[in-house]
Amino acid sequence: MFHINLNRKIFWIVAALIVFSNALLTYTMYKKNQDMIEVRALSKGDNLKNYFISMRNIYHHQFLNSGIDLNDTTIGFLPAHASTLISDKFAELSEDGTTIRNVTDRARNPKNKADKFELEAIEYFKNNPNKTILVKKIEQNGIDFFNFTSPLIIEPYCISCHGKKEETLPSIQERYDSAYDYKVGDIRGVTSIKIPSEKLTNESMHSFYNIAIFSWITILFLLILIYYAIKKLTIKDVEQKMLLQNEVKIKTANLEEQKNELKVANIKQQHLFSILRTVADCNQILITAKNIDELIQNTAVSMHSNTSFASIKILIFEDGKLRVKSSIGLDEEMEVLPLEEDVFKNNHNVFLKNFDKSMPQECLDKIKRHNITEIYALPLRKEHYSKEALGAIIICSTEENGLSVEERNMINELAGDIGFAINSFYQKDAINQLSYYDQLTNLPNQNLFEQHLNQALLKSSETLKYGAVLFLDFDDFKNVNNLMGKDIGDEVLKEMASRLVSKTDKTSIISRFGSDKFLILIEDLSSEEKESAIISKQFAQKTVALAKEPFILSNKTFHLTCSIGIVLFFDHKTLSDAILNQAEYAMRVAKDSGKNVIKFYNQALQDMTNLRSLMFQNLKEAVLEHQFVLYYQKQVNHNAKVVGVEALIRWQHPNLGFISPSEFIPLAEESDIIKEIGAYVLNEATNLIVKWADDAVKKEWRISVNISPKQFRDETFVDNIKNLIISKNINPKKLRVELTEGVLIDNQQSAMQKIDELNRFGISISIDDFGTGYSSLGYLKHLSIDELKIDQSFVLGLSENSSDKTIIKTILTMGEEFGFEVIAEGVETKEQFEELKNLGCNYFQGYLFAKPCPENEL
C-alpha cells in the first residue's frame, strides 16, 4: 500500500507540474494576445491618424490658397467644418464602427467639441508636451473602445485663423469670437480615433481559444496514459506486498496474545505500583509546595491522575468552620457533607463498601450515578496520635475489586503525611508573620522591605529602569499619642496603612518602618531619570493628600500632615542600607523645610521638579492672561501657489519671552489645560477665516488646526466645533482639522464616528505625521479623511536614505489609491521640492516657501 500511495503521490506531483506549466504557458499566450490586440489598435489608429491629418493639412492649404470668401454657403470649405463632414461620412461608411474626429476644448464648430475622454487626452498632452500618442481603453455608451489620440499642434499656417484676432482673416474675425491667441507649438486639440475593441478582440481570441483547447486536450490525454502506465507497472508489486502483510498480521496476533497473558499476570502488581507511585509523587509535592493551597491542590490533582481514585476531596478547618479546599472528579462538590463532618469531629477513619439506606439519600444518588464501589474518609492530623483533626480527605473509587489492604495502608500513611505538612505550614506562617510583618498594621516590616529592595536593585540592572524609595513620616504625630492616648495613635497608623494599600497603585511593597514612619517601594518607573522623578513626585503628592484626609476615630476628627523623602535608584551598585539612609535624610530635610513637604535626596532632581511645577503654574496663568499667540505657516501646491496655512501656537511669556511648544504642550497634555488651548486656537483660526472673507486672495485659503488627542476624545468636541462655525457663519470647508494617528488607538469606533460627522458637516480632515505611528490600511479604508501629511523626518532623509524615499512613495501611492491629498512638511531645499514633485507629491509646507509668522506678515 505504501508503494501504491507513493506512486500516486508521484503521479499527482508530475500531473500538477504539467498542468501548472501548461497553465502558465496559456496565461503567457493570453497576455501576448492581449498585447497584440493593443498593437493592432495602435497601428490602425496611427495609420488613420496620418491619413486624416495629411488630408486636413492639404485641405487647409487649399482653402487658404483659394481665397474663397467665407459665408453660410462656403463655410463647409472651412477645415473645421470640412473635417467634421469627413468624420461623419467615415463613420457612416465604417463597417466596424470606427470613428475619427478632430476635437478641441475651444470649438468653433459645436460638433468638434471634445468629450470627457478627449478632454483628458488634451490635458495629458499639455502636461506632457513630448508625448505624441495616447491609447486608452474606454467604455462609451455601453461599448468598449480603444481610444487613440494624437495632439493637434498649431503650425504656422494655422495662425491665419487662430492667431491674434486682429491679425486673422477678416472673414474669420467677422464670424467667430473664440479660439484665438494660439501660438505656434500650442495644442489646439486632438485627433481622436475610437476603434471598437470587440471585433479586434474576437478575431484574435478565436485563434487563441483554438490553440488553448488543443493544448489542454493533449495534456489530458498524456496524463491519462501516464496514469494507466504507472498503475499497470505497480500492481504486481502490490500483490506481493499484500501477501507479506498477511503473514506479518498473523505473527503479530500471536505476539499480542502472549502480551495479553503477561499483562493479566502482572496487573495486580502494576496496580500496586501505580498507587505507590502516586503516594511518592504526593510526598514530593508535600516537600516542594510553597503554601497550603498549592500543597492541597497539587496533591488532589496528583491523586486524581491515578485512575484508581475517581474523586478526591480535601477539607481544612479554618476561620472556625470546615471548608472544602479542593474537589476533583465526579461532581466536584464544594459543600461539606455529614459524613465529612463526622470524620473531622470524631477524628476517625470511615471505610464504606456496602451501601445501605442508612446513608443520606444524596450520597446514595451519587454512588449510583457514578458506580462508586468504595469510599475512604480519613482525618488529617498534625501527628498520628493527635486528638484533634486539621481536616479530612475523602476518596471515592470505581474500581470493580476495590483497593487491597496494602493499598489502603498506603492511603492512611499519605493522609498522615498531608496533615503533618499542613501543620508545618501553619507553624511556618506563624514564624514568618512574626519575622517579616508588623504586628500592628500587618504591613511588611523593615526586614522584608529590604529583601524586596535588594531584588528591585537587581531587577533595575536588568531592565535599565529607575525605581524609587519614599520615606514617609507624620508631622507632629506625638501630639496624637500625648493628647488622645497610644491606642488612638495606633488606630491612626492602621487607618493610614489601609489607605496606602487600597488607594495607591504602582507600588511594589509598602512597609511600616517603625513608630509613625512608612516606606514605599516603586519599580519600573522609566529609563529616563527626569521622567522617573516626575512620576515618583506625583505619587508622593497623592500620598500626602491621603495623609491630609481626616481621620475619624471614637467620634473625633484628626487632621494630620506628613513629610516625604524620595531617593531614585538605577542599579545594584548602591546598597539598600545606603538608599534607606538617603531617603530618611531627604525626609529630615523636608521636615526642616517646614513640614508637609516632599524632598528629593538629589538636589538636581528637586530643582527640576520644582521648575516643572513652576512651569505648570505659569501655564495656568498664561491661559487666564491670554499670553498665547498664533503663527501661521503657508502651504503651497506644486506651482508654489499658496493654498492654505497651518495655525501654530506660540507662548509669549512676559518675562521668559517665547517658550517652545515642545516645552509646554506635553505639560498641557497632562491636564485639561490642553482643551482650553485647543479651544483658543480654533476660535482664533475661525476669526481669521471671517476676516479673510473680504480679501481677494486669502478668502481662497484654508486654515489647518492641530487637535490634541485629549481634546478630540472630549464628548462635546464635535458639537463645539460645529457651533463655532455656525455662530460665525463661515464655510466649514475653509477649516481643516489635523489629527495624529494616536487618536484612533484607544477607541477606533468612536474616533471614526466623530471623523465621519465632521466630514459630513464639511470640515476636512488631515492625518498628521503619517507613517510614524499607527499607519494601517485597515483603518485608512474606513476613514472619511481628505489629507495625509508626510512627516518631516522622511523628507529630511529623502536624498540620503532609500528607505525614507520608499516610505514617501508608499504614502503617495496610498493617497492616490484612496483619493486623499498628500502634503509633505519640512521642505527646506529646492532639491527636496523637485524630488517630491517627481515622486508625485502635489502639496508642500516648509521653510523653503515660508517660515511661521504672525497673521499680519502673511
Side-chain angles (χ1 to χ4, degrees), residues 175-195:
R175 190 166 192 87
Y176 298 106
D177 294 326
S178 62
Y180 294 106
D181 298 322
Y182 282 100
K183 300 184 295 295
V184 174
D186 287 352
I187 294 177
R188 167 75 174 125
V190 294
T191 298
S192 174
I193 302 171
K194 295 179 180 174
I195 306 169

Side-chain angles (χ1 to χ4, degrees), residues 469-471 565-567 578-588:
V469 172
L470 279 64
F471 197 116
I566 304 175
V567 172
I579 291 175
L580 293 178
N581 289 335
Q582 291 169 358
E584 185 172 12
Y585 175 80
M587 181 272 293
R588 299 291 179 196

Side-chain angles (χ1 to χ4, degrees), residues 723-738:
N723 292 336
L724 187 66
I725 289 175
I726 293 171
S727 66
K728 297 182 180 181
N729 193 28
I730 62 177
N731 183 356
K733 294 184 182 297
K734 297 302 178 185
L735 181 65
R736 174 160 289 181
V737 170
E738 291 193 6

Side-chain angles (χ1 to χ4, degrees), residues 191-401:
T191 298
S192 174
I193 302 171
K194 295 179 180 174
I195 306 169
S197 63
E198 182 179 6
K199 187 171 182 179
L200 288 175
T201 303
N202 290 344
E203 290 175 355
S204 181
M205 291 304 292
H206 179 73
S207 174
F208 165 74
Y209 288 138
N210 288 338
I211 295 173
I213 292 171
F214 176 77
S215 172
W216 282 104
I217 291 174
T218 303
I219 290 298
L220 181 60
F221 178 73
L222 288 174
L223 290 176
I224 293 172
L225 288 179
I226 293 171
Y227 176 80
Y228 281 104
I230 290 176
K231 184 176 180 181
K232 189 170 183 180
L233 289 172
T234 57
I235 192 169
K236 185 176 180 180
D237 186 40
V238 170
E239 290 175 351
Q240 292 176 347
K241 288 188 176 181
M242 290 185 68
L243 291 174
L244 181 61
Q245 285 179 352
N246 289 333
E247 291 181 8
V248 171
K249 286 181 180 179
I250 294 172
K251 291 182 179 181
T252 302
N254 293 333
L255 291 173
E256 187 67 26
E257 185 176 353
Q258 295 175 12
K259 178 182 175 183
N260 290 336
E261 291 175 355
L262 290 172
K263 184 176 181 180
V264 171
N266 296 321
I267 191 168
K268 290 185 178 181
Q269 186 176 3
Q270 291 177 355
H271 194 266
L272 181 62
F273 283 163
S274 71
I275 300 293
L276 181 61
R277 178 68 186 180
T278 299
V279 172
D281 290 343
C282 290
N283 281 322
Q284 183 66 29
I285 291 170
L286 301 181
I287 296 171
T288 59
K290 297 178 181 179
N291 52 59
I292 291 178
D293 290 337
E294 181 182 333
L295 181 148
I296 292 173
Q297 186 63 26
N298 291 353
T299 300
V301 170
S302 179
M303 293 182 69
H304 184 256
S305 66
N306 190 314
T307 56
S308 299
F309 307 132
S311 73
I312 305 295
K313 188 175 182 181
I314 300 177
L315 305 93
I316 296 295
F317 185 77
E318 58 182 21
D319 299 329
K321 65 184 298 185
L322 192 63
R323 299 178 185 275
V324 178
K325 302 297 288 184
S326 181
S327 179
I328 300 178
L330 302 184
D331 292 339
E332 299 186 2
E333 58 196 5
M334 300 305 290
E335 295 182 1
V336 180
L337 302 178
L339 171 64
E340 296 154 355
E341 287 280 6
D342 174 57
V343 170
F344 169 71
K345 287 182 178 180
N346 296 312
N347 192 18
H348 69 138
N349 297 353
V350 174
F351 169 59
L352 299 176
K353 186 175 181 66
N354 299 317
F355 311 114
D356 54 33
K357 293 185 178 180
S358 62
M359 297 184 63
Q361 187 61 42
E362 183 180 0
C363 294
L364 291 174
D365 292 341
K366 179 178 179 181
I367 291 167
K368 183 178 180 180
R369 185 165 62 252
H370 297 293
N371 296 318
I372 296 172
T373 57
E374 292 181 336
I375 298 175
Y376 306 90
L378 311 168
L380 301 176
R381 310 182 186 97
K382 63 181 178 180
E383 292 178 354
H384 182 66
Y385 297 104
S386 295
K387 294 182 179 180
E388 295 182 355
L390 301 174
I393 181 170
I394 315 298
I395 303 170
C396 296
S397 176
T398 57
E399 292 284 326
E400 183 177 356
N401 299 322

Side-chain angles (χ1 to χ4, degrees), residues 451-462:
Q451 290 183 17
H452 280 270
L453 178 55
N454 287 327
Q455 294 173 1
L457 291 170
L458 292 172
K459 184 179 177 182
S460 176
S461 298
E462 297 171 357

